[in-house]
Amino acid sequence: MILIQDKILVSLDVIEEQFLCNLNACKGACCWEGDSGAPLEEEELNVLDNIYETIKPYLRPEGIKAIEEQGKYVFVEEGTLKEFSTPLVDNAACAYMTIDKKGIAKCGIEEAYRDGKIDWKKPISCHLYPIRIMEYGDIDAVNYERWDICSAACTAGKKAKLPVYKFAKEPLIRKYGEAFYNELETVAEDWKSGKPS
């Protein structure tokens, strides 16, 4: 782990591993695989409350039904996991998931964002993926999550020589700011050249 800004621990995997989403291969499986919906930060709950009516026309009928039955977000408590997340349709797909003409899963929230209807792209956990953040008091641990459904993304990342932190540049800046990313990039370059900071 590398400490950035005295409060953010970044796993070496974020620097050393390579990743590039290949939606043609996986069809956006991260939107329907897994045991729970997308993790949500507490401040994102109000955002979902406020934008729901605007994004509703972008959602599938089954997604709308799930949201109206379960709520715009749910609280998940399994073992040590205690967090808010997006609701699921039949314990599978995210309720905010849509499917395009090619059969690729997309985010209804992001579609509304791209159309200029809202100014919030999507939950930060989705934007950051395959990076996952765990909070330990005042310290955040920034980790790379390996998932077999992303094997094509790993292959594409190696071919493009694209480290995880560069793939996730935009969401990392969205989460922690430009100064954090610039420091991370400098540390990563020093690490790779054999001169860890």
Side-chain angles (χ1 to χ4, degrees):
M1 301 288 272
I2 293 170
L3 186 62
I4 307 287
Q5 295 182 334
D6 299 323
K7 61 185 178 186
I8 304 164
L9 279 170
V10 180
S11 165
L12 288 176
D13 286 346
V14 172
I15 292 169
E16 294 174 344
E17 298 296 329
Q18 296 167 328
F19 194 93
L20 178 60
C21 267
N22 184 345
L23 289 174
N24 290 323
C26 72
K27 305 297 185 192
C30 58
C31 294
W32 73 76
E33 293 284 353
D35 299 325
S36 59
L40 296 168
E41 296 187 350
E42 205 155 327
E43 58 269 21
E44 293 181 316
L45 308 183
N46 282 337
V47 175
L48 284 173
D49 284 334
N50 292 332
I51 66 171
Y52 179 67
E53 291 303 322
T54 305
I55 65 171
K56 188 175 175 181
Y58 290 85
L59 306 180
R60 300 178 303 147
E62 53 267 49
I64 293 168
K65 183 172 183 282
I67 291 165
E68 293 181 352
E69 287 176 353
Q70 301 170 47
K72 298 172 190 77
Y73 38 83
V74 296
F75 188 71
V76 178
E77 192 168 0
E78 292 176 11
T80 58
L81 178 69
K82 293 180 176 77
E83 65 185 6
F84 285 99
S85 71
T86 58
L88 298 177
V89 175
D90 298 326
N91 291 315
C94 174
Y96 295 98
M97 183 190 88
T98 62
I99 299 173
D100 72 11
K101 292 174 184 176
K102 296 179 182 176
I104 296 172
K106 297 288 173 79
C107 176
I109 300 167
E110 189 170 8
E111 289 182 357
Y113 170 83
R114 290 188 191 282
D115 283 350
K117 304 288 187 184
I118 56 173
D119 60 5
W120 187 67
K121 190 167 190 173
K122 57 185 166 183
I124 190 66
S125 66
C126 300
H127 200 183
L128 279 165
Y129 202 78
I131 288 174
R132 282 286 188 232
I133 295 171
M134 298 295 293
E135 295 178 0
Y136 299 96
D138 294 335
I139 301 286
D140 280 6
V142 178
N143 296 299
Y144 166 55
E145 183 174 85
R146 288 175 176 80
W147 199 359
D148 58 353
I149 63 169
C150 294
S151 59
C154 297
T155 301
K158 284 175 185 164
K159 188 174 180 183
K161 298 182 180 175
L162 186 67
V164 172
Y165 76 94
K166 287 190 177 180
F167 169 76
K169 179 178 180 177
E170 181 188 333
L172 282 169
I173 290 172
R174 175 183 165 196
K175 173 72 177 171
Y176 293 119
E178 292 262 5
F180 161 83
Y181 188 83
N182 292 339
E183 185 176 337
L184 172 61
E185 193 166 43
T186 299
V187 169
E189 286 167 4
D190 286 349
W191 180 266
K192 288 180 180 179
S193 65
K195 300 176 293 190
S197 298

